[in-house]
Amino acid sequence: MSGEGMLYDAADIEVLEGLEAVRKRPGMYVGSTGERGLHEMVFEVVGRAVNGVLVAGGGCVDVTLTPDGGVRVADDGVEVPFEDAVDGGALGLEALLTSLRAGPEPDGRHLAYLGHFGVGLCVANALSSRLTAEVRCGGVRRVQEHARGVALAPPATVGPTGTSGTTVAFWPDADMFETTWCSFAVLAERFRQVAFLNRGLEISLTDERPAGGVRKAGFRFPEGVQDFVAALHAETDAVLESDVIAFEREDPRMAGTMEVALMWGSSREERLRSFANSLFTREGGTHVDGFRDGVGAAVTDWARGRGLLTAQDAGPGADRIGEGLTAVVSVKLDHPEFLGPIHGRLGGDEVRACVGEAVQEHLGAWFEARPDRAVAMVDRIIRDRHRE
């Protein structure tokens, strides 16, 4: 082949900067220009509101799907000014809305990730035909309007207020997305998960679009992951046959906390859900490996101590232990080590060791405190093993 007419040099390189890059290649920032990408954009905005509430120690996030195709997200979280802190501290809301360099919010165990990309508010702003941001801070309400990522004017004071928090309303750009119709069911399921994983958080979802009338859903779970396991169990087993075993522990070795809840039921199916900083880890990871290590060790130790297994017998495999098991494993880390571009799997060897040790200790103590129940549970696992 001739190389004539195929020269390529620096003049052919197109450099995209700032929000122009987002609008040129939206799929790189939210995963797709279809419904999935649309929902990722919503999760980015709701995630910022959730974190504002969690930092405040609890509160409410209200999400509304408006008849004109907009999404309104209001929270009563900490005060957030438009301007950056003068001492070089926290970024103001305007910077988060308009600058890619502001980046997503920093890592930390008290922050929840709702979306898988962690791109921040600026991407949602760039991919919206218009956006309105309101802050309630210092007794004053201030509002700023944006169009396709560009601020139309400086923030304006519109009146007094006796509350704190933010409200962000945005209209996904039909030029960017194949659809701008959000699924109520998809959003509700994700908000339900996040409420389970963060005690003290309340999330409501209101859909004003249906011609037949407004529909609403609200989520708040005082017992956290313990409530989550009970709800998962109820999906296949009508009766809660035994107590949910649950514990929470902080471990400085993994720079974070863990919350674990589990129970065995009559179903043969295993229902295990894992999360890192409230993000669903679809492919599992070291927190799941540690959980399985701990459960296997606790069951094996207890069975050998009661003569259900001899010292020569191998412990039951993960498949037997998992039959009828419903569990939620949630870790919140200062610096989560996600593997893969969409954070589907958690890394970190120290996480596996810490979770495994904690699960073995807590489940073993639960067996010792309730020997009659433990016999029934462990004997079922061992008996099934000997049928193989």
Side-chain angles (χ1 to χ4, degrees), residues 213-235:
V214 173
R215 55 178 170 175
K216 297 183 177 182
F219 309 103
R220 184 176 182 275
F221 302 101
E223 300 303 322
V225 297
Q226 185 171 337
D227 287 336
F228 201 169
V229 164
L232 289 172
H233 175 81
E235 291 176 3

PDB file of all heavy atoms in Angstrom, residues 213-235:
ATOM      1  N   GLY A 213     -51.875  10.058  37.750  1.00  0.00           N
ATOM      2  CA  GLY A 213     -51.629  10.613  39.076  1.00  0.00           C
ATOM      3  C   GLY A 213     -50.209  10.390  39.550  1.00  0.00           C
ATOM      4  O   GLY A 213     -49.481   9.545  39.014  1.00  0.00           O
ATOM      5  N   VAL A 214     -49.839  11.139  40.550  1.00  0.00           N
ATOM      6  CA  VAL A 214     -48.484  11.087  41.091  1.00  0.00           C
ATOM      7  C   VAL A 214     -48.247   9.754  41.807  1.00  0.00           C
ATOM      8  O   VAL A 214     -49.138   9.238  42.485  1.00  0.00           O
ATOM      9  CB  VAL A 214     -48.263  12.257  42.069  1.00  0.00           C
ATOM     10  CG1 VAL A 214     -46.914  12.140  42.780  1.00  0.00           C
ATOM     11  CG2 VAL A 214     -48.361  13.590  41.334  1.00  0.00           C
ATOM     12  N   ARG A 215     -47.066   9.206  41.656  1.00  0.00           N
ATOM     13  CA  ARG A 215     -46.701   8.013  42.423  1.00  0.00           C
ATOM     14  C   ARG A 215     -45.450   8.329  43.229  1.00  0.00           C
ATOM     15  O   ARG A 215     -44.592   9.096  42.796  1.00  0.00           O
ATOM     16  CB  ARG A 215     -46.469   6.809  41.523  1.00  0.00           C
ATOM     17  CG  ARG A 215     -45.452   7.002  40.421  1.00  0.00           C
ATOM     18  CD  ARG A 215     -45.280   5.719  39.623  1.00  0.00           C
ATOM     19  NE  ARG A 215     -44.486   5.918  38.428  1.00  0.00           N
ATOM     20  CZ  ARG A 215     -44.103   4.941  37.611  1.00  0.00           C
ATOM     21  NH1 ARG A 215     -44.452   3.690  37.886  1.00  0.00           N
ATOM     22  NH2 ARG A 215     -43.389   5.202  36.532  1.00  0.00           N
ATOM     23  N   LYS A 216     -45.365   7.710  44.418  1.00  0.00           N
ATOM     24  CA  LYS A 216     -44.282   8.016  45.344  1.00  0.00           C
ATOM     25  C   LYS A 216     -43.726   6.743  45.966  1.00  0.00           C
ATOM     26  O   LYS A 216     -44.418   5.731  46.072  1.00  0.00           O
ATOM     27  CB  LYS A 216     -44.773   8.947  46.463  1.00  0.00           C
ATOM     28  CG  LYS A 216     -45.245  10.322  45.997  1.00  0.00           C
ATOM     29  CD  LYS A 216     -45.630  11.179  47.191  1.00  0.00           C
ATOM     30  CE  LYS A 216     -46.043  12.573  46.765  1.00  0.00           C
ATOM     31  NZ  LYS A 216     -46.386  13.435  47.937  1.00  0.00           N
ATOM     32  N   ALA A 217     -42.486   6.835  46.380  1.00  0.00           N
ATOM     33  CA  ALA A 217     -41.851   5.766  47.148  1.00  0.00           C
ATOM     34  C   ALA A 217     -40.887   6.419  48.126  1.00  0.00           C
ATOM     35  O   ALA A 217     -40.212   7.395  47.784  1.00  0.00           O
ATOM     36  CB  ALA A 217     -41.114   4.799  46.236  1.00  0.00           C
ATOM     37  N   GLY A 218     -40.842   5.902  49.337  1.00  0.00           N
ATOM     38  CA  GLY A 218     -39.932   6.437  50.350  1.00  0.00           C
ATOM     39  C   GLY A 218     -39.160   5.322  51.027  1.00  0.00           C
ATOM     40  O   GLY A 218     -39.692   4.216  51.218  1.00  0.00           O
ATOM     41  N   PHE A 219     -37.916   5.602  51.386  1.00  0.00           N
ATOM     42  CA  PHE A 219     -37.046   4.565  51.923  1.00  0.00           C
ATOM     43  C   PHE A 219     -36.290   5.076  53.138  1.00  0.00           C
ATOM     44  O   PHE A 219     -35.613   6.111  53.082  1.00  0.00           O
ATOM     45  CB  PHE A 219     -36.044   4.103  50.860  1.00  0.00           C
ATOM     46  CG  PHE A 219     -36.682   3.740  49.556  1.00  0.00           C
ATOM     47  CD1 PHE A 219     -36.616   4.605  48.472  1.00  0.00           C
ATOM     48  CD2 PHE A 219     -37.377   2.551  49.420  1.00  0.00           C
ATOM     49  CE1 PHE A 219     -37.210   4.290  47.271  1.00  0.00           C
ATOM     50  CE2 PHE A 219     -37.990   2.216  48.218  1.00  0.00           C
ATOM     51  CZ  PHE A 219     -37.905   3.092  47.133  1.00  0.00           C
ATOM     52  N   ARG A 220     -36.405   4.349  54.234  1.00  0.00           N
ATOM     53  CA  ARG A 220     -35.634   4.600  55.441  1.00  0.00           C
ATOM     54  C   ARG A 220     -35.637   3.323  56.266  1.00  0.00           C
ATOM     55  O   ARG A 220     -36.700   2.751  56.530  1.00  0.00           O
ATOM     56  CB  ARG A 220     -36.222   5.754  56.259  1.00  0.00           C
ATOM     57  CG  ARG A 220     -35.383   6.119  57.485  1.00  0.00           C
ATOM     58  CD  ARG A 220     -35.945   7.328  58.230  1.00  0.00           C
ATOM     59  NE  ARG A 220     -35.126   7.686  59.359  1.00  0.00           N
ATOM     60  CZ  ARG A 220     -35.221   7.128  60.570  1.00  0.00           C
ATOM     61  NH1 ARG A 220     -36.130   6.168  60.788  1.00  0.00           N
ATOM     62  NH2 ARG A 220     -34.430   7.505  61.551  1.00  0.00           N
ATOM     63  N   PHE A 221     -34.456   2.850  56.673  1.00  0.00           N
ATOM     64  CA  PHE A 221     -34.349   1.560  57.333  1.00  0.00           C
ATOM     65  C   PHE A 221     -33.495   1.692  58.586  1.00  0.00           C
ATOM     66  O   PHE A 221     -32.249   1.749  58.498  1.00  0.00           O
ATOM     67  CB  PHE A 221     -33.763   0.528  56.372  1.00  0.00           C
ATOM     68  CG  PHE A 221     -34.571   0.373  55.107  1.00  0.00           C
ATOM     69  CD1 PHE A 221     -34.158   0.977  53.930  1.00  0.00           C
ATOM     70  CD2 PHE A 221     -35.757  -0.335  55.114  1.00  0.00           C
ATOM     71  CE1 PHE A 221     -34.900   0.861  52.768  1.00  0.00           C
ATOM     72  CE2 PHE A 221     -36.519  -0.466  53.961  1.00  0.00           C
ATOM     73  CZ  PHE A 221     -36.090   0.136  52.776  1.00  0.00           C
ATOM     74  N   PRO A 222     -34.128   1.749  59.761  1.00  0.00           N
ATOM     75  CA  PRO A 222     -33.386   1.981  61.015  1.00  0.00           C
ATOM     76  C   PRO A 222     -32.337   0.927  61.332  1.00  0.00           C
ATOM     77  O   PRO A 222     -31.330   1.224  61.973  1.00  0.00           O
ATOM     78  CB  PRO A 222     -34.499   1.987  62.083  1.00  0.00           C
ATOM     79  CG  PRO A 222     -35.751   2.313  61.330  1.00  0.00           C
ATOM     80  CD  PRO A 222     -35.581   1.710  59.977  1.00  0.00           C
ATOM     81  N   GLU A 223     -32.552  -0.327  60.882  1.00  0.00           N
ATOM     82  CA  GLU A 223     -31.604  -1.401  61.206  1.00  0.00           C
ATOM     83  C   GLU A 223     -30.612  -1.677  60.080  1.00  0.00           C
ATOM     84  O   GLU A 223     -29.852  -2.644  60.144  1.00  0.00           O
ATOM     85  CB  GLU A 223     -32.370  -2.687  61.551  1.00  0.00           C
ATOM     86  CG  GLU A 223     -33.307  -2.550  62.735  1.00  0.00           C
ATOM     87  CD  GLU A 223     -32.592  -2.094  63.996  1.00  0.00           C
ATOM     88  OE1 GLU A 223     -31.439  -2.536  64.215  1.00  0.00           O
ATOM     89  OE2 GLU A 223     -33.156  -1.295  64.758  1.00  0.00           O
ATOM     90  N   GLY A 224     -30.616  -0.879  59.044  1.00  0.00           N
ATOM     91  CA  GLY A 224     -29.602  -0.969  58.003  1.00  0.00           C
ATOM     92  C   GLY A 224     -29.551  -2.308  57.297  1.00  0.00           C
ATOM     93  O   GLY A 224     -30.554  -2.824  56.804  1.00  0.00           O
ATOM     94  N   VAL A 225     -28.347  -2.912  57.250  1.00  0.00           N
ATOM     95  CA  VAL A 225     -28.171  -4.147  56.488  1.00  0.00           C
ATOM     96  C   VAL A 225     -28.958  -5.305  57.084  1.00  0.00           C
ATOM     97  O   VAL A 225     -29.292  -6.270  56.386  1.00  0.00           O
ATOM     98  CB  VAL A 225     -26.675  -4.508  56.360  1.00  0.00           C
ATOM     99  CG1 VAL A 225     -25.917  -3.451  55.580  1.00  0.00           C
ATOM    100  CG2 VAL A 225     -26.033  -4.746  57.706  1.00  0.00           C
ATOM    101  N   GLN A 226     -29.278  -5.235  58.353  1.00  0.00           N
ATOM    102  CA  GLN A 226     -30.122  -6.266  58.957  1.00  0.00           C
ATOM    103  C   GLN A 226     -31.507  -6.247  58.309  1.00  0.00           C
ATOM    104  O   GLN A 226     -32.072  -7.299  57.987  1.00  0.00           O
ATOM    105  CB  GLN A 226     -30.229  -6.035  60.462  1.00  0.00           C
ATOM    106  CG  GLN A 226     -30.981  -7.131  61.196  1.00  0.00           C
ATOM    107  CD  GLN A 226     -30.876  -6.962  62.705  1.00  0.00           C
ATOM    108  OE1 GLN A 226     -29.952  -6.341  63.218  1.00  0.00           O
ATOM    109  NE2 GLN A 226     -31.831  -7.528  63.416  1.00  0.00           N
ATOM    110  N   ASP A 227     -32.055  -5.058  58.097  1.00  0.00           N
ATOM    111  CA  ASP A 227     -33.318  -4.928  57.374  1.00  0.00           C
ATOM    112  C   ASP A 227     -33.166  -5.388  55.923  1.00  0.00           C
ATOM    113  O   ASP A 227     -34.096  -5.956  55.336  1.00  0.00           O
ATOM    114  CB  ASP A 227     -33.790  -3.478  57.395  1.00  0.00           C
ATOM    115  CG  ASP A 227     -34.323  -3.040  58.745  1.00  0.00           C
ATOM    116  OD1 ASP A 227     -34.749  -3.912  59.527  1.00  0.00           O
ATOM    117  OD2 ASP A 227     -34.315  -1.828  59.027  1.00  0.00           O
ATOM    118  N   PHE A 228     -32.002  -5.142  55.333  1.00  0.00           N
ATOM    119  CA  PHE A 228     -31.740  -5.524  53.951  1.00  0.00           C
ATOM    120  C   PHE A 228     -31.837  -7.040  53.798  1.00  0.00           C
ATOM    121  O   PHE A 228     -32.484  -7.560  52.874  1.00  0.00           O
ATOM    122  CB  PHE A 228     -30.355  -5.028  53.554  1.00  0.00           C
ATOM    123  CG  PHE A 228     -30.130  -4.892  52.067  1.00  0.00           C
ATOM    124  CD1 PHE A 228     -28.996  -4.226  51.597  1.00  0.00           C
ATOM    125  CD2 PHE A 228     -31.007  -5.430  51.133  1.00  0.00           C
ATOM    126  CE1 PHE A 228     -28.763  -4.078  50.236  1.00  0.00           C
ATOM    127  CE2 PHE A 228     -30.775  -5.289  49.767  1.00  0.00           C
ATOM    128  CZ  PHE A 228     -29.650  -4.621  49.324  1.00  0.00           C
ATOM    129  N   VAL A 229     -31.197  -7.782  54.699  1.00  0.00           N
ATOM    130  CA  VAL A 229     -31.228  -9.242  54.627  1.00  0.00           C
ATOM    131  C   VAL A 229     -32.647  -9.765  54.819  1.00  0.00           C
ATOM    132  O   VAL A 229     -33.087 -10.683  54.118  1.00  0.00           O
ATOM    133  CB  VAL A 229     -30.262  -9.853  55.659  1.00  0.00           C
ATOM    134  CG1 VAL A 229     -30.565 -11.331  55.888  1.00  0.00           C
ATOM    135  CG2 VAL A 229     -28.828  -9.682  55.186  1.00  0.00           C
ATOM    136  N   ALA A 230     -33.378  -9.193  55.759  1.00  0.00           N
ATOM    137  CA  ALA A 230     -34.768  -9.625  55.977  1.00  0.00           C
ATOM    138  C   ALA A 230     -35.599  -9.408  54.715  1.00  0.00           C
ATOM    139  O   ALA A 230     -36.445 -10.236  54.362  1.00  0.00           O
ATOM    140  CB  ALA A 230     -35.366  -8.869  57.161  1.00  0.00           C
ATOM    141  N   ALA A 231     -35.370  -8.289  54.023  1.00  0.00           N
ATOM    142  CA  ALA A 231     -36.114  -8.003  52.795  1.00  0.00           C
ATOM    143  C   ALA A 231     -35.729  -8.963  51.676  1.00  0.00           C
ATOM    144  O   ALA A 231     -36.591  -9.442  50.927  1.00  0.00           O
ATOM    145  CB  ALA A 231     -35.860  -6.562  52.369  1.00  0.00           C
ATOM    146  N   LEU A 232     -34.448  -9.266  51.529  1.00  0.00           N
ATOM    147  CA  LEU A 232     -34.008 -10.226  50.516  1.00  0.00           C
ATOM    148  C   LEU A 232     -34.586 -11.611  50.792  1.00  0.00           C
ATOM    149  O   LEU A 232     -35.028 -12.315  49.872  1.00  0.00           O
ATOM    150  CB  LEU A 232     -32.478 -10.299  50.488  1.00  0.00           C
ATOM    151  CG  LEU A 232     -31.738  -9.099  49.913  1.00  0.00           C
ATOM    152  CD1 LEU A 232     -30.234  -9.257  50.151  1.00  0.00           C
ATOM    153  CD2 LEU A 232     -32.026  -8.934  48.428  1.00  0.00           C
ATOM    154  N   HIS A 233     -34.579 -12.006  52.061  1.00  0.00           N
ATOM    155  CA  HIS A 233     -35.134 -13.306  52.451  1.00  0.00           C
ATOM    156  C   HIS A 233     -36.615 -13.391  52.107  1.00  0.00           C
ATOM    157  O   HIS A 233     -37.090 -14.430  51.634  1.00  0.00           O
ATOM    158  CB  HIS A 233     -34.929 -13.523  53.953  1.00  0.00           C
ATOM    159  CG  HIS A 233     -35.557 -14.777  54.472  1.00  0.00           C
ATOM    160  ND1 HIS A 233     -34.968 -16.013  54.348  1.00  0.00           N
ATOM    161  CD2 HIS A 233     -36.739 -14.986  55.118  1.00  0.00           C
ATOM    162  CE1 HIS A 233     -35.749 -16.932  54.888  1.00  0.00           C
ATOM    163  NE2 HIS A 233     -36.819 -16.334  55.369  1.00  0.00           N
ATOM    164  N   ALA A 234     -37.334 -12.302  52.322  1.00  0.00           N
ATOM    165  CA  ALA A 234     -38.782 -12.293  52.083  1.00  0.00           C
ATOM    166  C   ALA A 234     -39.134 -12.430  50.605  1.00  0.00           C
ATOM    167  O   ALA A 234     -40.270 -12.772  50.265  1.00  0.00           O
ATOM    168  CB  ALA A 234     -39.394 -11.010  52.638  1.00  0.00           C
ATOM    169  N   GLU A 235     -38.166 -12.191  49.709  1.00  0.00           N
ATOM    170  CA  GLU A 235     -38.450 -12.304  48.285  1.00  0.00           C
ATOM    171  C   GLU A 235     -38.725 -13.745  47.867  1.00  0.00           C
ATOM    172  O   GLU A 235     -39.424 -13.994  46.889  1.00  0.00           O
ATOM    173  CB  GLU A 235     -37.268 -11.757  47.475  1.00  0.00           C
ATOM    174  CG  GLU A 235     -37.098 -10.240  47.603  1.00  0.00           C
ATOM    175  CD  GLU A 235     -35.869  -9.730  46.871  1.00  0.00           C
ATOM    176  OE1 GLU A 235     -35.189 -10.561  46.228  1.00  0.00           O
ATOM    177  OE2 GLU A 235     -35.604  -8.524  46.928  1.00  0.00           O
TER     178      GLU A 235
END
